Amino acid sequence: MQDVDEALILRCSKCSTAAEPDSNQAQCAVCGALLELVAPPPKVRGDALRRIFADRRGTHGGRDTSGVWRYRELLAVRADDVITFPEGNTPLIHGGRAAHWAGCPTLRVKHEGLNPTGSFKDRGMTVGITQAKRVGAWAVACASTGNTAASMAAYAARAGIPALVFIPAGKVAMGKLSQALAYGARTLVVRGDFDACLELARRAARELGIYLLNSVNPYRLEGQKTIVLEMLEQCGWDAPDWIALPAGNLGNTAAFGMALAAARDCGLISRVPRLLAVQAEGAAPFAHAFDVGFEALQPIRPNTVATAINIGDPASYDRAVRSIRETDGIVTTVSDTELLEAKAVIDAAGIGCEPASAAAVAGVRRMIREGVISDDADVVSVLTGHVLKDPEATVGYHGQSVPGRALSNPPVEIDATIDDLRRTLDRA
Ligand code: F0G
């Protein structure tokens, strides 16, 4: 079986200027746009390719057990000496009561929170860290709202590479911060927001020669493409009508469009699903740009309880615009109240996710209510992060009784007596 090799090309996504694939370069030296990886199309297509992917599922150990590397024919990467947990292999399940809440009875969710460090970031990180190791990086760095930091810290530890994370002060959920510390990353709490952290991380990469592992790194996006590839395989290669996802720095929106194009070009799917990218109202520069036909991106000062997507100046904007255009997609917003309610429903369904992930399901509900998506549409919503990532959000929601919070489930304190237990249960 062919593995991608010297034919790998790194080039500008706008002006096509070539760059060295093993450089630590994310932006075009000529026009400043982000770089992308390109590889020759695989020699096998359609059914033959489907069979290769399916056969690898039965193996034990090594890269074929990874839900990322298993799809390597469709990734513009070199697939030797990989650093894998393994990651991926996440379930695609019915949304239970969340499907009914959204008004989409057949809604399915792809739970990326069930990756090794609890978010979809592990899919990009296995590829990013493998590349960092290949080029002999002396240290890796990322700016993060928390999940990238947790993932990079873990994979860097596995690879034996020192890790440096930049996180915005007071804006990172406790589960994620605790992971970065636990996995041994040097954790810098920056007085500024995520956008300031990313600016600083990019400077550190340029001036200190640290290998940058944000999603501006093209290797990260190659790995993230497999969320969609694995989902399509789980759908029996019968593509859903819509794929909904939360959108922040827009790396995932970009990667999803790339994956769908690759799946179509290789004859794996006969029609391309539409993307529904969902932002929080208080952090919605992409949705605002969509509303004016993507005329221009106006960076904003973000403010949402969904800290993972609290981003005002998304780095992968251009590539994400391409994804939305190519899939006839839509970008919408939901309020913090809506996304917290969606989270409560998803959690109560026994599925669980972090607030940003729930935004996508809230977005599906909004689009169905507005008649943009029909209630019999086949929709898959991607849950990007685990319920344990943001315990403050969960306990905050359930801990206080707020009017209108029908799903609030506050803890009840009792005496250590059977009588008090009986009284409490009677009251319930
Ligand atoms: N959902 C979760 C749980 C995230 O952590 C992120 C991004 C997103 C959605 C948005 O994805 O940026 O590709 O549009 N988290 C990044 C981080 C920014 O630093 O962990 P995106």
Side-chain angles (χ1 to χ4, degrees):
M1 182 44 43
Q2 92 171 10
D3 275 339
V4 176
D5 49 27
E6 334 41 76
L8 194 66
I9 291 170
L10 183 64
R11 66 169 190 209
C12 174
S13 54
K14 243 186 190 159
C15 72
S16 294
T17 301
E20 161 54 42
D22 284 344
S23 68
N24 179 13
Q25 189 185 340
Q27 284 170 280
C28 175
V30 176
C31 76
L34 293 177
L35 302 178
E36 63 184 3
L37 287 156
V38 190
K43 296 195 182 85
V44 276
R45 297 170 43 85
D47 271 341
L49 195 50
R50 290 187 189 130
R51 252 194 317 276
I52 290 171
F53 297 153
D55 288 348
R56 288 178 184 155
R57 274 188 182 269
T59 58
H60 299 283
R63 62 185 179 174
D64 286 355
T65 59
S66 162
V68 172
W69 298 102
R70 185 161 59 238
Y71 302 100
R72 57 188 175 271
E73 280 76 8
L74 294 189
L75 311 183
V77 293
R78 293 186 210 96
D80 48 333
D81 300 327
V82 304
I83 292 160
T84 176
F85 212 99
E87 47 292 308
N89 302 312
T90 61
L92 175 71
I93 54 172
H94 184 256
R97 60 196 283 188
H100 298 284
W101 176 85
C104 179
T106 59
L107 177 73
R108 286 175 291 175
V109 294
K110 171 116 179 104
H111 205 331
E112 287 297 302
L114 300 180
N115 269 291
T117 76
S119 85
F120 71 95
K121 303 289 181 181
D122 296 339
R123 290 187 184 261
M125 208 51 75
T126 180
V127 180
I129 282 282
T130 294
Q131 179 63 13
K133 183 99 179 163
R134 174 171 296 120
V135 300
W138 66 273
V140 290
C142 70
S144 180
T145 56
N147 281 325
T148 303
S151 181
M152 190 190 79
Y155 278 83
R158 301 288 297 162
I161 305 175
L164 191 63
V165 305
F166 300 86
I167 56 174
K171 293 276 185 337
V172 170
M174 204 50 79
K176 307 174 189 182
L177 173 60
S178 65
Q179 285 179 289
L181 300 173
Y183 296 135
R186 188 102 172 105
T187 303
L188 304 172
V189 180
V190 178
R191 291 183 284 273
D193 59 13
F194 169 81
D195 303 294
C197 289
L198 182 54
E199 185 54 41
L200 184 57
R202 284 174 132 169
R203 267 199 85 167
R206 268 196 314 273
E207 295 179 21
L208 309 177
I210 303 175
Y211 192 80
L212 187 64
L213 276 174
N214 275 99
S215 57
V216 295
N217 181 316
Y219 289 90
R220 282 269 318 274
L221 293 201
E222 290 302 311
Q224 287 177 209
K225 281 158 61 176
T226 62
I227 302 170
V228 163
L229 299 175
E230 190 177 85
M231 173 202 304
L232 292 172
E233 187 179 31
Q234 287 165 316
C235 293
W237 301 106
D238 180 15
D241 299 318
W242 290 87
I243 298 174
L245 78 162
N249 209 27
L250 302 182
N252 236 8
T253 308
F256 279 28
M258 291 156 61
L260 290 170
R264 180 203 52 210
D265 294 348
C266 290
L268 293 172
I269 53 172
S270 51
R271 66 191 175 101
V272 173
R274 298 175 71 183
L275 289 181
L276 172 65
V278 185
Q279 297 207 285
E281 259 167 28
F286 190 42
H288 296 153
F290 173 78
D291 289 343
V292 294
F294 291 129
E295 237 167 54
L297 172 70
Q298 296 285 351
I300 53 125
R301 199 172 271 275
N303 184 21
T304 168
V305 291
T307 49
I309 50 174
N310 196 44
I311 294 170
D313 189 9
S316 287
Y317 174 77
D318 288 329
R319 296 185 295 191
V321 168
R322 194 165 74 189
S323 290
I324 295 297
R325 287 203 168 124
E326 286 180 2
T327 63
D328 190 21
I330 284 181
V331 190
T332 192
T333 60
V334 293
S335 67
D336 281 358
T337 306
E338 287 174 288
L339 70 86
L340 285 177
E341 188 179 335
K343 172 174 154 54
V345 182
I346 295 162
D347 292 353
I351 297 170
C353 68
E354 66 164 283
S357 313
V361 174
V364 171
R365 184 193 204 215
R366 189 176 256 209
M367 290 300 94
I368 285 178
R369 288 189 160 186
E370 291 179 8
V372 178
I373 297 182
S374 80
D375 59 5
D376 61 355
D378 182 8
V379 184
V380 175
S381 192
V382 178
L383 300 181
T384 45
H386 197 279
V387 66
L388 290 175
K389 287 284 191 175
D390 193 345
E392 307 99 309
T394 311
V395 175
Y397 183 93
H398 293 288
Q400 31 175 303
S401 124
V402 175
R405 282 195 184 166
L407 286 160
S408 170
N409 179 28
V412 182
E413 193 174 315
I414 61 166
D415 292 333
T417 64
I418 194 71
D419 287 346
D420 200 26
L421 175 61
R422 283 216 171 90
R423 264 194 304 277
T424 307
L425 294 180
D426 283 348
R427 270 201 300 276

